Amino acid sequence: MSKVPPGPTPGFLVWRLANKWRVAVDRAVAPLGLTHAQYSLVASLYDLRNSGERPPSQRRLAEHTGMEALYVSKLARALESGGLIERARDPRDPRAVQLALTERGLTVTHQAVAVVQELIQRLLEPLGGLDAPRTRAFTDELTALLGVPLTPPPPPASPPPPA
């Protein structure tokens, strides 16, 4: 068994940073009537729209954001109630629901993206800002970690039989 180094583990630090940034984004987009999770969904819809994709399904958006499909569905319903997105049946697959920003959703998303970009610039100042080499290296490291597939852990070893 390997020795655990003193101090916080990388996993703990990633968890703390993710929580800190989530709270910061929550506070930044609250005046626009959004939560961090809702912001992630509308900003992702905006990105996919600008990349030329047809309106994505809830499942596609779940894959894109890393959120559970059921959570995306819940967020989509709330955003639809707020007039920010439209949900429609996919003509090619009646089981799938496509999502698209409304005009109001586009306006709010533009505002939210600007607010969050300014926030991210401030949060990345210790690394030199958004365009700094340290930030690019940090982004590459995070991307590598996100690329590790989630596989179930192996079953625990059976204890040896009594002697």
Side-chain angles (χ1 to χ4, degrees), residues 74 88 116 134 140:
K74 181 180 174 181
V116 171
R134 285 182 64 199
D140 290 344

Side-chain angles (χ1 to χ4, degrees), residues 128-149:
L130 191 57
D131 298 321
R134 285 182 64 199
T135 300
R136 284 191 295 278
F138 179 60
T139 301
D140 290 344
E141 299 292 345
L142 291 172
T143 301
L145 293 174
L146 286 169
V148 175

